[in-house]
Amino acid sequence: MTSRNWLRQQLSEGRTVRAIWQELASPTLAEAAIWAGWDCVLIDNEHGQGDLASTVQMVRAVEAAGGHYIVRVPWNDQVYLKRILDLGIHTIMVPMVNDRAAAEAAVAACRYPGKGARGYAAPIVRASHYGARPQYVSESTDELFLLAQIEHREAVPNIAEIAAVEGIDMLFLGPHDLAGSIGKLERLTEEEVEAYVGETEAAIRATGKPMGTVGRPLRTYGELQTRGHSLIVGPSDIGLYAEAVREAGQEMDRQLSAAGDAA
C-alpha cells in the first residue's frame, strides 16, 4: 500500500533519505536543489531566515520541481504548528522534544479533535486546496509525519517513552546541541562527546523507531547509515555558497598573483 506521506513511503521501502538544509528562505535555491538532484530539502524555520510566507513559496517551488520537503518549526508551539499544517505542510520536525509530555503536545497540536487539539479552518486553507478537497480532515493524520528532535541531555533518559508516543514517527538526533547540553559545544571531535552521541544513538535504535541525524566530524555519511540513520541531512545552502565564494576568491587571487609574477 502506498503511503500518503513521501518520507514514510521511502522508509517503508528501506531507503536512506538524504536532504539538504535550506536556511536562506529562497524558493529559487530550494527549487535549484531539486533540479540538482536532491530529492528532499529541509526548510529550517528554527535557525533559518524564513517565515510562514517564505516557507509556502519554497514549498510551492519544491513541489513544482518534483521534490519533497521537511519543515523544521521554531519550537514545539501549538499556534505555529497549526499554521504550518494549514499551509499543507505535513512532514514536520519539532526541536527539543525532551520528554513524553512534549512529544504528546506536539502530536496533539498536529491532529484534529478526537485525536488532538488542532484548530479547525479546513475549508479555507491551502491544505484542503481551499475547500476543493473535502476529505482533507479525514486524511490529514495519515499524511502527517512527525520528527521529534533528541538534542539535549534531559531527553536521553526519556528516549523510550518519547518513542512510545503514538504519532511520533522518527527520532532525529541533533549532536551539536546534545554536545552543548553537556558543556561540550563545538567539540564533536572529542572522544567523550562521540561516545555520548553513540550511546544516544543506541538508545534510539533500541526503540525500533526510525532515526535521523546531521553530519558530524568523526563519521562519514556511510557510517551514519550503518549506525541506523535512515534520514541524513547534509550541507546547507549558505554553507555551500560561502565555501564556493571563498574558493572562487582564492582561485582568482592565485591567477592574479601568477600573472603578476610573470609580468
Side-chain angles (χ1 to χ4, degrees):
M1 180 179 177
T2 300
S3 172
R4 295 186 186 278
N5 183 283
W6 176 83
L7 181 54
R8 181 179 290 112
Q9 182 68 26
Q10 300 304 299
L11 300 181
S12 72
E13 295 173 1
R15 296 191 177 100
T16 299
V17 174
R18 58 191 179 94
I20 182 171
W21 290 102
Q22 297 289 305
E23 305 289 346
L24 294 176
S26 168
T28 299
L29 291 179
E31 180 184 28
I34 301 302
W35 288 120
W38 290 85
D39 293 326
C40 183
V41 300
L42 201 160
I43 300 169
D44 188 5
N45 284 359
E46 181 186 12
H47 295 295
Q49 299 177 12
D51 56 15
L52 292 168
S54 62
T55 295
V56 73
Q57 297 303 329
M58 293 176 73
V59 166
R60 286 175 174 139
V62 168
E63 290 176 338
H68 306 273
Y69 57 84
I70 302 164
V71 173
R72 177 163 70 174
V73 296
W75 196 244
N76 191 357
D77 174 65
Q78 182 178 7
V79 174
Y80 201 93
L81 284 165
K82 172 178 60 180
R83 299 193 70 188
I84 280 288
L85 289 159
D86 284 350
L87 292 177
I89 293 160
H90 43 257
T91 305
I92 299 171
M93 181 182 291
V94 180
M96 288 287 177
V97 178
N98 291 341
D99 54 29
R100 184 183 185 92
E104 290 175 339
V107 173
C110 293
R111 294 182 169 189
Y112 284 114
K115 294 185 177 180
R118 177 183 172 185
Y120 176 79
I124 64 168
V125 298
R126 182 176 184 268
S128 70
H129 302 172
Y130 309 103
R133 185 185 164 203
Q135 72 276 23
Y136 169 68
V137 170
S138 63
E139 294 178 350
S140 61
T141 297
D142 291 337
E143 291 178 345
L144 181 66
F145 190 99
L146 200 56
L147 301 89
Q149 283 199 257
I150 304 299
E151 51 182 344
H152 195 278
R153 61 183 177 82
E154 291 181 1
V156 176
N158 301 323
I159 283 173
E161 64 180 40
I162 293 169
V165 173
E166 196 272 327
I168 296 295
D169 298 294
M170 172 179 278
L171 301 186
F172 190 90
L173 174 61
H176 295 278
D177 282 314
L178 185 63
S181 74
I182 60 170
K184 301 283 187 176
L185 188 64
E186 294 190 328
R187 294 159 70 178
L188 291 181
T189 58
E190 294 186 11
E191 291 185 7
E192 177 187 348
V193 175
E194 175 59 27
Y196 187 61
V197 173
E199 292 168 7
T200 306
E201 284 175 324
I204 295 173
R205 283 196 304 270
T207 70
K209 280 283 174 78
M211 177 170 66
T213 194
V214 299
R216 63 180 194 263
L218 298 182
R219 299 292 175 184
T220 67
Y221 291 133
E223 287 173 331
L224 293 175
Q225 178 179 252
T226 300
R227 295 172 75 85
H229 294 282
S230 49
L231 170 65
I232 302 173
V233 186
S236 69
D237 50 6
I238 183 60
L240 291 169
Y241 177 75
E243 181 181 0
V245 169
R246 185 165 46 249
E247 290 178 355
Q250 292 170 349
E251 178 59 25
M252 180 175 281
D253 286 343
R254 282 193 293 269
Q255 293 185 23
L256 292 172
S257 178
D261 292 342

